[in-house]
Each structure stands twice: as structure tokens, then as C-alpha cells.
């Protein structure tokens, strides 16, 4: 995906407080207003699947477990803002990555099967997230999807469908069964392969395997990519494939579905959407995503990438999420506008409710903008959500409709045929003032009376309005829902000195602040029995990055760091699966898939065995890049044994780099280092192979 730069809004709009008013019906001077009909007579449209967020794709919740450990109350508050019914976003779906040991946007997530005969359900942070969310919202619908896979699945060509997908099927079924048996987590939805090729035989086999293992109620979503007409045509032509798929899941569909999709008459959802910066512009975009895809494309649910920014600032797509919690050192977190935009829908609807069809309760407004209506199964409750977000202000990542919006429009809502008994609505309103960078979100207004089945509204641009027959116990004028983006923020930064304390971690747990971009680090016992952080990926994974990562690497610290130091002890075992070398780095300036292009100060220890080296020695290599293309220095270090701890300290101060190995100065020099851009500290291995790291610390030096 290509990042769309955040564009400041330029439109000046009418005063927020005048955003909406109810007018008496029979005012003599009122202009003729367009009438909008709400009726049950034509029956109900699709079932509403729900609104959700994605943890993963990848490592987007990386820093959240540190909140759980250090700030449990704040951790709980964050989950409440996201998932607690009728509280914040009150999300109905949680989609997680099935960790695959490889980079999947903001890092790697650990796999439950690193190798063909390895299995553990105690890795990564998605299990604990799902379980903790379930404690807050028992009815949460879970959705698992792989982005990448351990290399063993893919055979020689790293193709997950290798050997008739036999490895893949075993791998995914092991995860689904383990989720249930070990963690009590049932998958409502299961995807195929994020934004990558699908395979009809695999989908059909997966359906059979789920049915045969007691997971008949787990629904297969395909294809988790942009609309794939090839797939849609295949599903129309192949009954087994058609029957195997329950939900058509499209990424960034831009409010529409192609005729080939509609023809299949299946549930359709935006299975990944949003990817917008979570300010008031992104909040406005999310409001459009929650309405327009139903009105224009029959899509009946939306899932935001991503759930929560819990990865370092400067990583790809920072704050492209519903809210942000990326300061685990202080416990700070930010509840962002998309949270309250979601609440407009989720507080007053449930998955399983149905929409009113376009023309009879859902549609486009006469001055543009849209409205949808959710109806409870017994038709006892009705919730209408109206949005007049200007596409120019509420800019979306992918192309949503670009119509202009009337500054003000007056509409008369007519409730007939089964809805004429409604006499009042509870009301929630969000008003965005893009000129002032302020918004009053999800504010409770006094009830709107419905007189004789009729309600007249004057709608200004950039407003969201929920009308519901449900109760609403929320307070009026909740100050936490007032946003002023010009006010100073209280961002806290990575500590000046940080030591990774693995004694706080379980076996197989990922180090707290170390953020793997390729490879996976887990707490394991080193050959001497000491607990350490092991890089455990021993063969190139089924990577979806181009170019592929040649080697593991993990980042820590802050991207603004220049003068800094990293200390770490390293151990290269003599096992067949060991790596051929290790490195420490400073000022690594690229994260995510771009880490392959990272510059920085990289110090490599590369053991050599052979006659040219007097039997055994270690080559020290200094490079200005992760890619090992820009070497600036090399030497041979004597007296370093392979199968033992070696302490390394790498420092950059005012353009001078010093490297100490076992406390001896091994490199001291300038070499244009001062020209390097700032960046994170890094550790890694030369190739996919095991190495151990302990006593990791990073420091910011200088002022
Ligand atoms: C809308 O309702 C009318 C009856 O009021 C009905 O005839 C029509 O079929 C309905 N349209 C849709 C799309 O359901
Ligand atoms: C191919 O899959 C079958 C199971 O369907 C398995 O027995 C066989 O070992 C696999 N072959 C290879 C080369 O992985
Ligand atoms: C397995 O895949 C091979 C090609 O990779 C194919 O020739 C063979 O027919 C497949 N076997 C089954 C049982 O599907
Ligand atoms: C579409 O699916 C719905 C629900 O499964 C069903 O009631 C309806 O008859 C189907 N319509 C067509 C045209 O197949
Ligand atoms: C899709 O929506 C249109 C109206 O917008 C409606 O006429 C049509 O029946 C819907 N199709 C399905 C499959 O629900
Ligand atoms: C609504 O959008 C359409 C284009 O989709 C445009 O032609 C029309 O002028 C817009 N209406 C208003 C009131 O701006
Ligand atoms: C900003 O807000 C102030 C006070 O609410 C209001 O007087 C002013 O008109 C607003 N400015 C713009 C550009 O909307
Ligand atoms: C209510 O609506 C009906 C039909 O539209 C109309 O005949 C009647 O006069 C209205 N009553 C009031 C009090 O407005
Ligand atoms: C920032 O901190 C100040 C003082 O501690 C506090 O009054 C203010 O509310 C905080 N602002 C935010 C956005 O948290
Ligand atoms: C590497 O090999 C050693 C020795 O065979 C084994 O104990 C260890 O589990 C392996 N590690 C990984 C991550 O495969
Ligand atoms: C890192 O190592 C250097 C050199 O041995 C030492 O001076 C420094 O205090 C160490 N830093 C930390 C945080 O332990
Ligand atoms: C490191 O190099 C600088 C500049 O050449 C020199 O001044 C300094 O003495 C050296 N430090 C050591 C410990 O050799």
C-alpha cells in the first residue's frame, strides 16, 4: 500500500452550534424540503454483520502488552474504549493476525508453528488480547487471517499452496483448534491469505476440514483483497467454491461492489477499511465508510485497519487507527475521533439487526451525504444514522465517492408502514469544524419529537446524527468527546535509558520494547541455561515484502535519536540451525518492509572457521546499512569463542562511533557517520538462524 499524505482541511464551514435544528412542521416561510421515506412495507435488507478493528497485519498491538504489565488500569481503560458495550467504540468484531513469523506492515508476529513439528499456543500477544476483550464484551465476534507464513509451509518456491496446500491446511486448522481448546476462543470468521492469491482447492478443503472438526459455524471470508473479479467469477462457476465461502470480504472497496459480487447474493463486508490518520479528518472518513458502502454497494459491515496504534511513532501508518496507545513508558494513550464516530452506530445496533433497504430507510440525501437505518430483529427498535461529511474534509485512503455536499439541507423524514408509531427519538450528534480543527463528538441532544410520523431536520455539512428509539443513558455534554486539535498534546517519549528486563517475561514471550521487523525474538534458555532473547526463525519465511528480507532485524528506541548507545551480550551457538553472525545497529532509519533499505551504524560480528583464519576467528564489519552493501571498515578480532557470551557496546556521539567488544575498543572512528539520518537502535542476525541476546540496553546520549 502507498501512504497517502495527510492533507489539511481548507474548507470553512458554518458555525458548529447552528449545525442542526428541528423546526416546526408548519412554518409558513419554510422552503420546500425533500421528503425521505422510512418504511417496513418492502421488507428488510441485509443483516448487519458489525463494526470491528484489526490487530495485526502486523504487529500493530506490539506495545500494548507493556501497558498490561505496567499500567493494568490504563490497559483496561484502553480495551474499554475499544470494546465495552455502550462505552466507547463498542466494537463488535475483533480481527487478528494469525502470526506468521514475517513482516506484515509494522513488524512480525510470532507463529504457533515455527517449524513443521513445532507447536505452541503461548506466543505473541493476540491470544491475550482476544481473551481480555472477551472479558469486556463476551459477544465479540473473532476473525483470524494470515498475512505471512513460516517458510516450511511453502516448499521450495515459498508458495503456501505448495503440495496441494497440505501444510497450510494443517497449519491453519491447528491454529483454529488451538484457539478453541487452549484459549476457549471460537472463530466466527476465518480468512484465506491477506491481499494475496487465493486457491479454490484450498478454500474447499478448508471448509471440509472445519466442518469435520466441529467448526461448521466458522464462516470463511474470501478473499481479503481489493475486489477480485476473477475470484467472483470462479465462485459463480464452481458450486463447491461458492458453497465453501460465506462472506465476501473486500479491502478498501470504496463504497461499491461490482455486479459480479452482487450476483453471488452473499454477505459482503469491508473486511479491511480505513487506513486514515485518526484526527478529525480520519474520523469523518470513518463516518462515510460506516454508511456509504451499504447504500452504494450492499456491504453490511466494516473493519478498520488498524484497531490501535501500539507501535513506535515513525513506523509505517502511525496513528492510522481508531485510537493510539504507543507510550508504554508513561501509560499515556489517546482516545481519537474514530472511537466516537463508531459509537454512533454500535451503541444503538447489534450484529444481526437488519438494514432498511435503499429507498425505504437508507439512501443518499438530496444534498448528498447518506443515511442508513438499522432495525432490531423484532422490529421494536430503529436506529437511523445520517452523515453529511464532505469528502474533501473527510478524506479517505481509497477512493470513496467524491460528491460535493450541500452546506445546508432541509429534509422531512416520514415514518410510515410499521414505523408510524414512533413518537420521539433519542439523539446523538457529532459536528466537525475543520476550519477551527475542533469537533464536538457524540454529544447527546434533547429528544426529537416525531409528530404524526414526521420529523423535519436541517442538516449542515460535516455532521453525523444518530436517531434511535433505544434508551441512551449517556450524559449530555460529555467533555471527553470534545476535540481541539490545536491544543497542546502531552506526548511522552521513549526513556533516555532503557534496559529490557527478561526476568519479567514468560518463556516464549516476546521482549517488551524490542520490535521485530524480520525474524521473531522469544525468551528462551541459551545453551548455558541463562534466559535470553532468542531469534528463532531458522529459514526464510513466506514473505510478502519486495525485496524480501535477507535477515532478521528488530528495532528499539526512538526514530529521532542520533547520539545514542546500544549494549547487548550475544551468543552464537554451534548448532546447525545457528545464524552465521549477529549485528547491533544505531540510527536505523526505516521500519516495516522498508527496513531492508535502512541506513545506520551497523556493527557485524561474523565468525569464520577455516585455515585462512588460523582455525577460528571473528570478522568485525562496520557498514552504513542494514543491507551490508556499504562497508566502511573491517578487521579480525582475536580471542572470541563462538559458543559463549560476547558483550558488545556500540556508541555514536557527535559523529564518532565507538564499538567495544568484551570491553575492548574494537572500532573508534569517523567515517561520514555524522551524515546519517536519525533512527532506532537495532539488533539482528546475519541470516535466518538462531542467536541469543541478553542484557540489552539502549540510551540516548547528548542533550
Ligand atoms: C419500499 O416500500 C414500498 C412500499 O412502501 C415497496 O413497494 C417497495 O418495494 C420497497 N422498496 C424496497 C427497495 O424494498
Ligand atoms: C505432501 O502432502 C502429503 C499429505 O497430503 C504428505 O504426506 C507429503 O509428505 C507431502 N509432501 C511433501 C514433499 O511435503
Ligand atoms: C497435488 O498437486 C499436484 C501438483 O502440485 C497435482 O499434480 C496432484 O494431482 C495433486 N493431488 C491431489 C490429490 O490433489
Ligand atoms: C439471496 O439470499 C437470501 C438469503 O440467503 C435469500 O433469501 C434470497 O432468496 C437469495 N436471493 C436470490 C436471488 O438468490
Ligand atoms: C443491493 O442494493 C440494491 C439497492 O441499493 C438493491 O436493489 C439490491 O437488491 C441489493 N442487492 C442485494 C443482493 O442485496
Ligand atoms: C451531489 O453529488 C452529485 C455528484 O455525485 C452532484 O452532481 C450534485 O451536484 C451534488 N449535490 C449537491 C447539492 O451538491
Ligand atoms: C472558530 O470558532 C470560533 C468560536 O467557536 C468561531 O467564532 C469562529 O467563527 C470559528 N472559525 C471558523 C473558521 O470556523
Ligand atoms: C397526519 O398525517 C395525515 C396523513 O399524512 C394527515 O392527514 C393529518 O392531517 C396529519 N395530522 C396532523 C396533526 O398533522
Ligand atoms: C496535558 O497535561 C496538562 C497538565 O498536566 C493537562 O491539564 C492537560 O489536560 C493534558 N492534555 C492532554 C491532551 O492530555
Ligand atoms: C536449534 O537447534 C537446537 C539443537 O538441535 C534445538 O535445541 C533448538 O530448539 C533449535 N532452535 C530452533 C529455534 O529451531
Ligand atoms: C553500556 O556500556 C557502556 C560501556 O561498557 C557503559 O559505560 C554504559 O553504562 C552501558 N549502558 C547501560 C545502560 O548499561
Ligand atoms: C578515538 O578516536 C578519537 C579521534 O581520532 C581520539 O581522539 C580518541 O583518543 C580515540 N579514543 C580511544 C579510546 O582511542
Amino acid at each position: 500500500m502507498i501512504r497517502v499524505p495527510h492533507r489539511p482541511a481548507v474548507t470553512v464551514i458554518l458555525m458548529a452550534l447552528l449545525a442542526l435544528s428541528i423546526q416546526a412542521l408548519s412554518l409558513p416561510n419554510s422552503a420546500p424540503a425533500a421528503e425521505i421515506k422510512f418504511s417496513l412495507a418492502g421488507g428488510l435488507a441485509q443483516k448487519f454483520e458489525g463494526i470491528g478493528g484489526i490487530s495485526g497485519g502486523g504487529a500493530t498491538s506490539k506495545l500494548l502488552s507493556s501497558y498490561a504489565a505496567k499500567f493494568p488500569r490504563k490497559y483496561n481503560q484502553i480495551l474499554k474504549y475499544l470494546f465495552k458495550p455502550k462505552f466507547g467504540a463498542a466494537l463488535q468484531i475483533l480481527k487478528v493476525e494469525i502470526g506468521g513469523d514475517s513482516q506484515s506492515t509494522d513488524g512480525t508476529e510470532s507463529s504457533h508453528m515455527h517449524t513443521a513439528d513445532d507447536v505452541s499456543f503461548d506466543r505473541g500477544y493476540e491470544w491475550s488480547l482476544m481473551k481480555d476483550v472477551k472479558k469486556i464484551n463476551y459477544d465479540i465476534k473473532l476473525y483470524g487471517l494470515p498475512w505471512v507464513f513460516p517458510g516450511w509451509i511453502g516448499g521450495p518456491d515459498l508458495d503456501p499452496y505448495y503440495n496441494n496446500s497440505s501444510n497450510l491446511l494443517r497449519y491453519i486448522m491447528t491454529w483454529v483448534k488451538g484457539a478453541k481448546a487452549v484459549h476457549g476462543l471460537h472463530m466466527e470468521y476465518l480468512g484465506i491469505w491477506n491481499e494475496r492469491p487465493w486457491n479454490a482447492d484450498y478454500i474447499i478443503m478448508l471448509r471440509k476440514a472445519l466442518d469435520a472438526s466441529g467448526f461448521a459455524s466458522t464462516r470463511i471470508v474470501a478473499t481479503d483483497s481489493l475486489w477480485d473479479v476473477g475470484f467472483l467469477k470462479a465462485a459463480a462457476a464452481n458450486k463447491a467454491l461458492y458453497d465453501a465461502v460465506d462472506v465476501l470480504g473486500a479491502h478498501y472497496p470504496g463504497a461499491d461492489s461490482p455486479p459480479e459480487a452482487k450476483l453471488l447474493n452473499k454477505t459482503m463486508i469491508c473486511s479491511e477499511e480505513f487506513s486514515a490518520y485518526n484526527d478529525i479528518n480520519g474520523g469523518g472518513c470513518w463516518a462515510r465508510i460506516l454508511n456509504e458502502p451499504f447504500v452504494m454497494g450492499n456491504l453490511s459491515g466494516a473493519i478498520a485497519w488498524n484497531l490501535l496504534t501500539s507501535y513506535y511513532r515513525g513506523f509505517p501508518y502511525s496513528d492510522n487507527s481508531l485510537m493510539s496507545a504507543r507510550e508504554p513508558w508513561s501509560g499515556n494513550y489517546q482516545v481519537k475521533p474514530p472511537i466516537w464516530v463508531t459509537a454512533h452506530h454500535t451503541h444503538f445496533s447489534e450484529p444481526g439487526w437488519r438494514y432498511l433497504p435503499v429507498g425505504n430507510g437508507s439512501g443518499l440525501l438530496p444534498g448528498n451525504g447518506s443515511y442508513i437505518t438499522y432495525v432490531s430483529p423484532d422490529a421494536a427498535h430503529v436506529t437511523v444514522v445520517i452523515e453529511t461529511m464532505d469528502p474533501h474534509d473527510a478524506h479517505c485512503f481509497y477512493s470513496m465517492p467524491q460528491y460535493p455536499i450541500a452546506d445546508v439541507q432541509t429534509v422531512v423524514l416520514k415514518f410510515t408502514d410499521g414505523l408510524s408509531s414512533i413518537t420521539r427519538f433519542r439523539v446523538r450528534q457529532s459536528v466537525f469544524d475543520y476550519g477551527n480543527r475542533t469537533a464536538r463528538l457524540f454529544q447527546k441532544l434533547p429528544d426529537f419529537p416525531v409528530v404524526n410520523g414526521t420529523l423535519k431536520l436541517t442538516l449542515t455539512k460535516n455532521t453525523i446524527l444518530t436517531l434511535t428509539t433505544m434508551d441512551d443513558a449517556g450524559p449530555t455534554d460529555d467533555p471527553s468527546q470534545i476535540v481541539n486539535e490545536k491544543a497542546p498534546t502531552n506526548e511522552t517519549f521513549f526513556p533516555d535509558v532503557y534496559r529490557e528486563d527478561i526476568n519479567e517475561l514468560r518463556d516464549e514471550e516476546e521482549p517488551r520494547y524490542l520490535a521485530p521487523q524480520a525474524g521473531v525474538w522469544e525468551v528462551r534458555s541459551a545453551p548455558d541455561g541463562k534466559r535470553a532473547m532468542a531469534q528463532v526463525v531458522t529459514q526464510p519465511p513466506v514473505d510478502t515484502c519486495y525485496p524480501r528480507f535477507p535477515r532478521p532485524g528488530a528495532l528499539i528506541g526512538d526514530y529521532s535519536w542520533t547520539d545514542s548507545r546500544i549494549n547487548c551480550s550475544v551468543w552464537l551457538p554451534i548448532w546447525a540451525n545457528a545464524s552465521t553472525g549477529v549485528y547491533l545497529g544505531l540510527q536505523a532509519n526505516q521500519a516495516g518492509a522498508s527496513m531492508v533499505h535502512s541506513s545506520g551504524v551497523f556493527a557485524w560480528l561474523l565468525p569464520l572457521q577455516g585455515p585462512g583464519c588460523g582455525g577460528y576467528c571473528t570478522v568485525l564489519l562496520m557498514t552504513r546499512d542494514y543491507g551490508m552493501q556499504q562497508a566502511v571498515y573491517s578487521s579480525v578480532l582475536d580471542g572470541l569463542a563462538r559458543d559463549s557470551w560476547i558483550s558488545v557496546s556500540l556508541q555514536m556521539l557527535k559523529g564518532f562511533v565507538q564499538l567495544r567488544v568484551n570491553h575492548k575498543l574494537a572500532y573508534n572512528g569517523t567515517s561520514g557517520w555524522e551524515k546519517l539520518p536519525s533512527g532506532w537502535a537495532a539488533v539482528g542476525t546475519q541470516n535466518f538462524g538462531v542467536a541469543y541476546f541478553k542484557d540489552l540496553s539502549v540510551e540516548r546520549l547528548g542533550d
Side-chain angles (χ1 to χ4, degrees):
M1 296 194 291
I2 299 158
R3 187 176 165 84
V4 174
H6 169 228
R7 178 165 47 81
V10 292
T11 315
V12 174
I13 64 153
L14 292 172
M15 274 189 60
L17 291 177
L18 292 181
L20 183 141
S21 63
I22 330 170
Q23 298 171 2
L25 248 188
S26 50
L27 281 181
N29 295 335
S30 60
E35 204 171 275
I36 297 178
K37 183 177 65 168
F38 294 75
S39 160
L40 294 177
L44 298 168
Q46 277 96 334
K47 249 188 204 162
F48 171 54
E49 288 295 312
I51 298 172
I54 303 174
S55 169
T60 58
S61 301
K62 160 70 203 171
L63 300 172
L64 186 60
S65 46
S66 299
Y67 283 79
K70 297 287 183 195
F71 301 98
R73 211 172 58 86
K74 296 201 176 204
Y75 172 74
N76 210 40
Q77 284 166 354
I78 293 164
L79 294 191
K80 277 158 85 177
Y81 275 114
L82 289 167
F83 293 103
K84 190 178 172 186
K86 295 194 191 288
F87 186 80
L91 294 175
Q92 296 148 331
I93 301 171
L94 170 59
K95 178 172 173 179
V96 302
E97 174 168 355
I98 300 175
D101 285 352
S102 186
Q103 172 62 241
S104 51
T105 303
D106 282 289
T108 63
E109 297 196 29
S110 191
S111 171
H112 61 294
M113 296 177 80
H114 294 313
T115 61
D117 22 71
D118 165 67
V119 59
S120 164
F121 298 101
D122 213 15
R123 296 175 186 153
Y125 28 79
E126 304 296 0
W127 302 122
S128 59
L129 176 63
M130 286 188 277
K131 286 193 284 187
D132 292 341
V133 167
K134 224 168 143 54
K135 286 179 206 151
I136 286 173
N137 176 3
Y138 186 78
D139 296 325
I140 190 77
K141 300 207 279 180
L142 300 174
Y143 181 162
L145 175 68
W147 267 250
V148 285
F149 305 94
W152 65 270
I153 289 174
D157 299 329
L158 291 178
D159 170 10
Y161 304 118
Y162 165 70
N163 193 18
N164 306 308
S165 308
S166 52
N167 292 348
L168 177 60
L169 187 68
R170 180 164 75 89
Y171 177 77
I172 292 296
M173 286 307 298
T174 301
W175 189 86
V176 170
K177 289 181 196 167
K180 184 80 177 183
V182 178
H183 296 293
L185 298 168
H186 176 78
M187 291 305 129
E188 166 88 17
Y189 305 100
L190 187 64
I192 306 302
W193 187 13
N194 183 72
E195 295 178 4
R196 287 294 179 275
W198 50 276
N199 176 297
D201 292 342
Y202 168 65
I203 295 172
I204 295 162
M205 287 190 319
L206 180 62
R207 179 71 268 157
K208 282 190 188 143
L210 288 167
D211 291 347
S213 310
F215 295 96
S217 64
T218 294
R219 298 153 78 193
I220 292 182
V221 184
T223 58
D224 271 304
S225 57
L226 305 179
W227 282 118
D228 181 336
V229 173
F231 170 79
L232 299 169
K233 287 184 171 163
N238 176 343
K239 177 151 179 2
L241 179 60
Y242 180 88
D243 289 343
V245 173
D246 294 285
V247 178
L248 306 180
H251 289 195
Y252 307 95
D256 206 358
S257 52
E260 292 85 351
K262 293 195 179 85
L263 195 69
L264 294 182
N265 189 30
K266 286 204 183 274
T267 300
M268 297 189 275
I269 61 171
C270 308
S271 57
E272 182 181 317
E273 251 296 358
F274 193 51
S275 285
Y277 189 75
N278 60 24
D279 60 0
I280 56 175
N281 301 79
C285 159
W286 186 229
R288 302 175 60 213
I289 290 170
L290 297 183
N291 268 33
E292 291 172 1
F294 174 71
V295 173
M296 298 183 215
N298 306 69
L299 292 141
S300 55
I303 307 180
W305 190 86
N306 57 65
L307 175 70
L308 179 72
T309 291
S310 218
Y311 41 100
Y312 290 130
R313 71 188 184 125
F315 274 32
Y317 304 94
S318 202
D319 296 312
N320 281 217
S321 52
L322 300 176
M323 60 181 277
S324 299
R326 53 173 164 74
E327 300 167 53
W329 37 87
S330 66
N332 271 12
Y333 63 88
Q334 290 85 33
V335 179
K336 294 310 230 28
I339 293 292
W340 302 118
V341 170
T342 316
H344 270 282
H345 297 253
T346 52
H347 286 215
F348 312 110
S349 70
E350 280 173 36
W353 286 33
R354 302 186 88 103
Y355 292 90
L356 282 180
V358 172
N360 283 351
S362 301
L364 291 181
L365 293 166
N368 293 334
S370 67
Y371 62 101
I372 57 171
T373 302
Y374 303 104
V375 180
S376 66
D378 55 3
H381 283 296
V382 172
T383 297
V384 182
V385 186
I386 300 169
E387 61 82 23
T388 59
M389 302 312 302
D390 185 333
H392 180 72
D393 294 320
H395 182 74
C396 290
F397 182 86
Y398 265 75
S399 53
M400 295 285 284
Q402 292 298 313
Y403 47 59
I405 296 257
D407 285 342
V408 184
Q409 52 184 313
T410 303
V411 291
V412 176
L413 313 188
K414 291 287 278 183
F415 296 89
T416 63
D417 305 310
L419 301 172
S420 53
S421 59
I422 296 171
T423 56
R424 60 111 187 106
F425 281 117
R426 307 255 186 255
V427 184
R428 289 281 185 156
Q429 178 183 253
S430 292
V431 179
F432 295 77
D433 181 346
Y434 288 107
N436 269 338
R437 304 302 303 165
T438 58
R440 298 173 67 85
L441 300 176
F442 201 54
Q443 298 284 300
K444 189 171 167 182
L445 301 187
D447 289 357
F448 284 6
V450 180
V451 178
N452 200 9
T454 302
L455 173 63
K456 187 169 177 179
L457 298 173
T458 299
L459 303 168
T460 55
K461 188 162 80 170
N462 292 331
T463 300
I464 312 169
L465 194 65
T466 296
L467 310 174
T468 184
T469 60
M470 290 180 83
D471 286 336
D472 180 359
T476 49
D477 282 331
D478 186 336
S480 74
Q481 298 158 5
I482 296 174
V483 179
N484 178 358
E485 291 182 346
K486 287 182 176 163
T489 59
N490 294 349
E491 184 172 9
T492 58
F493 298 99
F494 195 94
D496 284 351
V497 180
Y498 176 73
R499 294 185 177 82
E500 212 44 272
D501 182 1
I502 56 171
N503 294 321
E504 297 177 334
L505 304 175
R506 295 179 278 106
D507 282 354
E508 294 196 273
E509 197 167 353
E510 188 169 297
R512 287 244 197 282
Y513 286 7
L514 192 67
Q517 303 302 298
V520 163
W521 272 257
E522 289 171 358
V523 173
R524 299 276 180 113
S525 292
D528 67 344
K530 292 228 165 62
R531 297 181 88 225
M533 306 180 287
Q535 195 299 111
V536 295
V537 177
T538 55
Q539 75 182 97
V542 179
D543 202 335
T544 58
C545 301
Y546 299 97
R548 289 183 188 277
F549 277 91
R551 63 183 60 91
L555 300 174
I556 184 168
D558 191 281
Y559 76 157
S560 71
W561 282 7
T562 47
D563 289 355
S564 52
R565 179 157 56 203
I566 178 169
N567 294 351
C568 194
S569 291
V570 297
W571 179 306
L572 275 171
I574 48 176
W575 300 329
N577 59 15
S579 175
T580 50
V582 294
Y583 63 88
L584 300 190
L586 293 172
Q587 293 177 224
N589 72 330
Q590 304 277 324
S594 308
M595 191 188 170
V596 288
H597 304 299
S598 197
S599 63
V601 180
F602 287 85
W604 308 76
L605 295 181
L606 310 171
L608 267 188
Q609 204 144 13
C613 200
Y616 182 84
C617 64
T618 300
V619 172
L620 164 65
L621 185 67
M622 301 295 297
T623 68
R624 258 198 295 265
D625 64 341
Y626 158 94
M628 297 186 89
Q629 300 299 306
Q630 299 174 46
V632 297
Y633 176 83
S634 72
S635 67
V636 172
L637 303 180
D638 293 325
L640 295 181
R642 178 158 179 142
D643 211 15
S644 69
W645 288 111
I646 300 170
S647 86
V648 188
S649 174
L650 176 66
Q651 169 185 310
M652 155 66 112
L653 188 60
K654 298 184 171 33
F656 279 88
V657 170
Q658 294 195 332
L659 177 76
R660 287 190 168 73
V661 179
N662 281 345
H663 310 289
K664 288 209 314 244
L665 195 62
Y667 173 80
N668 176 35
T670 59
S671 197
W673 301 115
E674 75 283 357
K675 298 198 186 82
L676 290 171
S678 66
W680 296 274
V683 299
T685 52
Q686 191 196 13
N687 64 345
F688 285 95
V690 177
Y692 296 88
F693 301 80
K694 77 175 176 71
D695 303 329
L696 172 68
S697 68
V698 291
E699 296 163 81
R700 194 173 71 87
L701 302 177
D703 319 320

